[in-house]
Amino acid sequence: MKRLLTIISFIALATTAMAQTAEEIVSRMNAEISKHNESEGFAITMDMKIILVGTISSRSYILGDKMRIEANKDGKDFVTWSDGKTEWSYDSETNEIEITNAKPREKSDKDSNTKMFKDVTEGYDVRIDKETATEWHIRCKRSKSNPDKDAPKRMDLVVAKGTYWPVSLTTSVTAASVTMRDISFGVTESQVTFNEKDYPGVKIVDKR
């Protein structure tokens, strides 16, 4: 019996030593994201649930000043490319590609998605809300000292165990919720560059 109690005590101590706080988990996650350079480019999926509209899912590919966004709504495909100066927008319903001048974007706009993951604890009180065999579910509640009163009151972050890689981040705003997921690094020029040859027979409408 004494030997059994010794083993139980050892396991309990080892388990306690392995326990991590939400802040420590987020810190490890940030370290993993920081291993990747923005010059690699990144891709991310966003699911937007909007009251009276439904759910719109999009996948964004960003490399420097170039980006491509693929979206689907009610079975219709929409694709937009931008190189910072020109935008190409494809509508599968009309089978047209419209070319326009791109609106200027701040640098912060281009990396805001990865920044949200890395800065999730800034202005927020975090705690582990749930834990599974493979994931930590972390609740992020806006702190009273947060100067940005327009920031979401709550965010839910999911981090993978073992890799400390972000699985998803969900925020809620008025009449909508947004989930960012499936973040990955490594985007090629061809993924963010419009090529007319990929859309044979499509009508081109130049509105520049």
Side-chain angles (χ1 to χ4, degrees):
M1 178 63 73
K2 186 176 181 180
R3 183 176 176 80
L4 178 60
L5 290 173
T6 300
I7 293 173
I8 292 173
S9 298
F10 177 80
I11 293 173
L13 287 171
T15 304
T16 302
M18 292 173 62
Q20 298 177 83
T21 65
E23 289 82 1
E24 289 170 336
I25 293 167
V26 172
S27 179
R28 287 287 298 274
M29 181 193 74
N30 289 343
E32 290 301 317
I33 294 176
S34 296
K35 289 179 181 179
H36 297 272
N37 194 301
E38 289 293 339
S39 62
E40 296 178 52
F42 69 92
I44 193 168
T45 296
M46 296 182 67
D47 300 320
M48 294 176 285
K49 294 183 180 180
I50 306 172
I51 295 177
L52 302 180
V53 175
T55 300
I56 301 174
S57 293
S58 66
R59 180 75 175 167
S60 299
Y61 301 82
I62 301 172
L63 181 63
D65 290 327
K66 294 184 176 182
M67 68 183 301
R68 180 176 104 242
I69 301 175
E70 301 174 345
N72 182 281
K73 177 69 172 66
D74 298 330
K76 302 172 187 176
D77 294 321
F78 303 91
V79 187
T80 298
W81 298 259
S82 176
D83 62 6
K85 295 180 180 179
T86 305
E87 286 187 2
W88 297 262
S89 300
Y90 170 68
D91 185 336
S92 65
E93 185 175 30
T94 61
N95 200 33
E96 291 184 351
I97 290 178
E98 186 178 283
I99 306 175
T100 59
N101 292 317
K103 296 179 180 179
R105 289 185 296 129
E106 297 292 335
K107 183 181 184 302
S108 59
D109 292 337
K110 295 182 289 184
D111 62 0
S112 60
N113 293 324
T114 54
K115 185 176 176 63
M116 276 198 73
F117 278 103
K118 293 182 68 175
D119 295 345
V120 70
T121 56
E122 291 188 11
Y124 284 83
D125 300 318
V126 298
R127 63 177 174 83
I128 297 175
D129 186 53
K130 186 174 70 172
E131 185 174 346
T132 69
T134 58
E135 297 173 337
W136 288 290
H137 292 246
I138 298 174
R139 175 64 52 82
C140 310
K141 184 179 180 181
R142 189 177 70 192
S143 61
K144 294 180 179 179
S145 60
N146 190 332
D148 185 4
K149 299 308 177 184
D150 293 326
K153 292 183 179 179
R154 194 187 84 185
M155 298 190 292
D156 292 295
L157 172 67
V158 181
V159 180
K161 289 184 175 179
T163 63
Y164 289 91
W165 197 245
V167 175
S168 66
L169 177 64
T170 300
T171 63
S172 297
V173 293
T174 304
S177 67
V178 179
T179 297
M180 294 183 286
R181 57 180 175 86
D182 299 336
I183 182 173
S184 62
F185 284 84
V187 173
T188 64
E189 281 283 341
S190 62
Q191 288 179 297
V192 291
T193 303
F194 171 70
N195 189 344
E196 189 174 338
K197 293 180 181 179
D198 293 335
Y199 292 85
V202 172
K203 182 180 179 181
I204 304 294
V205 181
D206 195 335
K207 293 188 175 182
R208 288 175 293 182

